Amino acid sequence: MPVKIRLQRHGSKKRPFYFIVVADARAPRDGKFIQKIGTYNPLTVPASVQLDRQKALDWLHKGAQPTDTVRRILSYKGVLYLKHLLRGVKLGLFDDAAAMDKFQKWHGEHEIALKKRAEENRKARPGRRGPGGPPMRRVGGPDRGERPERSERVERPERAERKSEGGTAPAQQEA
């Protein structure tokens, strides 16, 4: 039975949200699956991914093939790097402790880079607030584009002329 690690779409129209699932390759996209290993929300900036790293690694060791998008997600979360390091341990290139040290070092650098990217996106995105202050409040009045009181209204000249003509409609003028 060929097994794939792929995305299963949820969410409403134009608001996608995905489960990362392990499923038989012959099953429909949103159909039956073997195990749910995480979630992926592409609408947040940066996209938010919740993934059980150990389950994903176990399925990769069992031979499950990730789709292209899931491969990128697994790479982003470090699962493919961890698989690579564990293969080095299996071949005897280094021990398990050295592999975990390398992964922890990479993971720390990756988290710092993610926080920096999120901060840059937050600063670049225009908001409703001024720089560091509370939301701006509009103060209204006739000079600010609001409608004046009924007693202050001025009739336009073309309306005054129509009223003096007796208010005849174009259909009445022809008859």
Side-chain angles (χ1 to χ4, degrees):
M1 170 171 84
V3 177
K4 292 257 185 202
I5 302 175
R6 64 182 179 200
L7 297 177
Q8 187 179 59
R9 186 181 166 127
H10 290 273
S12 60
K13 181 177 173 185
K14 300 196 184 225
R15 306 276 303 159
F17 180 82
Y18 298 95
F19 289 160
I20 303 169
V21 297
V22 178
D24 182 4
R26 297 167 291 192
R29 178 192 74 178
D30 297 337
K32 189 175 178 182
F33 62 91
I34 299 168
Q35 188 176 26
K36 177 183 163 189
I37 60 173
T39 60
Y40 168 58
N41 185 1
L43 296 177
T44 59
V45 176
S48 60
V49 177
Q50 300 296 322
L51 184 69
D52 187 336
R53 192 178 287 132
Q54 190 58 44
K55 285 182 184 177
L57 191 61
D58 289 344
W59 279 105
L60 287 173
H61 281 305
K62 291 177 187 176
Q65 295 295 315
T67 59
D68 293 339
T69 306
V70 173
R71 181 177 295 279
R72 287 183 52 90
I73 291 171
L74 294 177
S75 176
Y76 174 79
K77 294 303 266 184
V79 175
L80 296 180
Y81 182 58
L82 188 56
K83 181 184 177 203
H84 170 74
L85 291 174
L86 292 178
R87 175 129 165 75
V89 169
K90 185 178 176 183
L91 293 174
L93 300 175
F94 43 84
D95 62 344
D96 199 24
M100 287 303 129
D101 289 341
K102 285 185 179 187
F103 181 75
Q104 292 300 328
K105 181 181 175 210
W106 173 86
H107 185 65
E109 293 170 357
H110 184 68
E111 289 295 319
I112 292 170
L114 287 179
K115 287 179 183 176
K116 183 179 175 185
R117 190 179 319 151
E119 184 67 24
E120 288 173 358
N121 284 334
R122 192 179 62 80
K123 286 181 181 177
R125 195 173 62 196
R128 286 182 23 185
R129 297 176 177 219
M136 305 283 247
R137 217 178 92 193
R138 272 183 75 169
V139 179
D143 58 327
R144 296 281 294 157
E146 287 190 8
R147 296 178 68 174
E149 294 295 323
R150 178 130 347 242
S151 61
E152 298 175 12
R153 287 190 188 168
V154 179
E155 284 195 24
R156 288 186 256 155
E158 60 270 3
R159 283 192 177 178
E161 291 174 11
R162 284 187 200 158
K163 285 185 178 180
S164 63
E165 292 175 4
T168 57
Q172 292 176 348
Q173 290 176 354
E174 293 175 9

